[in-house]
Each structure stands twice: as C-alpha cells, then as structure tokens.
Amino acid sequence: MESTDRRAAEPTNAEPQQFMPLPGGTGADQSAIIRSMAELVELLGGEPLPDSATSKEWRIRAWQVVRATADQSPREDWFDPLIRAAVHEPDPSFNERFVKPALSWFGTLRVQTALLEHLRTGTNQERAGAARAWYWSHLPRRRHAGPYTPDADPGDEDALLELRQQWRETALQEFVTNDNLRVRQCILPVLTLNPARHRPELRGLVAEAVQIARTSSDEYLRHRVEVQIH
C-alpha cells in the first residue's frame, strides 16, 4: 500500500526507493473480524460457515458473497456492514474487495465520511483498518466505477475537499497522540508529511510525527518515514 500524497511520498532522487511492505496484522481481535464478516455474509444471503471456521475462511467467504452480488442494486442496510468488513479486513491488499463495492454502490463521499468516523471514534483495530481502507477510497473514480455508482452531486467536490482536509488533520493528530504501534504503522502510509498542506497551527505536529517515526524502535516506521519525506 503506497501513500496517496505523492508530493510527500515519492523520492526526488534518480534512484527510486522501495517501500517496505506493511507488516502483517498482529494482535487483531479475530472474533471481531469473524463477526463483521459473518454479518455481511448473512445480510447478503450467503451460505454461512460452521462454527469451526477461521477468520481467514470467513474473510474469503464474505468477499465471495460480495462479488456474487456485484451486479445487484444495493440496499441501504448493506452500507454499514460493508464498511465494517472493509475496516476489519486485516490485509491491506484484500480490503479493496470491500472498499470498491462500497464506493460503487454508495459513492466516495459517504464511504470516506464513514472511514473518517472510524478513525476518530473506533477501537485501535478499527482505526488501523480505517487507515488501510482509506488508501483504496482515495483512488480515481474510474478505478471503482460500477453500474450502480451514484451520480455525483455538484456539491460533492467541495465536500470531499473539506472531508480530506479533516482526514489529514485527524490522521496527523492520531499518529502523534496514539502510541499503538499498529495504528501508527497503518496511518503513516496515508499521512501527509508536507507541512504546507496543513494549517499553520498544525505544522508543528508534522515535525513531531516525523521525529516519532524516525526514533521509533519499529523498523517499518523508521524506513517508511524516510522514503516519504525525500
């Protein structure tokens, strides 16, 4: 998963630097993952799994059921369970399979609003998951257009600009104040480290975030921040 802030994340020297992969999920609440996936499977009319099924098996089943309903007109009660599945999916490559249908069915503004709320108020597992899901929600619209993509409201663009500013500020503050390693690992790739893109009163937090990452005992944070700021 790469940063969505290209100006802050891409190296400027001639030799491209490689991002370390995001470390695998550690300490995730497997029961929470299973509950979110089972809820989605049941809601979409999928075949449930036995009680002995693992969280990985539930994640695969949930994705299969979502894929099987891709050409259907969405129901309103699909939205929250689909977002919860995207947030609880621990694989930063696999979660796009929940994010993209949500975007196609319900639109970018609504999806990103929900992810921001999870970042603000969720458990640490949900905050980390919201950051992972945010990457896919930020891709150009053509990447996730579907037969039921809602027509864009003329006011959506202004609302999206405001929402993304709120995300930048919330993610920055969360990274600095939340010392949970997994949360920091997941937020950093989508963290805007260009001070000019923050309000003047928040620019000191950018330097603090960089210092936290540089001095962390975690190799991923130390590596990632150096690539993003060069």
Side-chain angles (χ1 to χ4, degrees), residues 123 146 169:
T123 64
E169 295 181 1

Short mmCIF file of all heavy atoms in Angstrom, two decimals, residues 123 146 169:
data_model
loop_
_atom_site.label_atom_id
_atom_site.label_comp_id
_atom_site.label_asym_id
_atom_site.label_seq_id
_atom_site.Cartn_x
_atom_site.Cartn_y
_atom_site.Cartn_z
N THR A 123 -12.15 1.57 17.82
CA THR A 123 -11.10 0.92 18.59
C THR A 123 -9.79 1.08 17.83
O THR A 123 -9.77 1.50 16.66
CB THR A 123 -11.41 -0.57 18.77
OG1 THR A 123 -11.39 -1.20 17.46
CG2 THR A 123 -12.77 -0.79 19.41
N GLY A 146 -18.96 1.57 -11.17
CA GLY A 146 -19.75 0.36 -11.38
C GLY A 146 -21.12 0.73 -11.89
O GLY A 146 -21.47 1.91 -12.01
N GLU A 169 -5.86 16.16 9.00
CA GLU A 169 -5.65 16.67 10.35
C GLU A 169 -5.88 15.59 11.40
O GLU A 169 -5.09 15.45 12.36
CB GLU A 169 -6.58 17.86 10.60
CG GLU A 169 -6.26 19.05 9.72
CD GLU A 169 -7.17 20.24 9.97
OE1 GLU A 169 -8.04 20.14 10.87
OE2 GLU A 169 -7.00 21.28 9.30
#
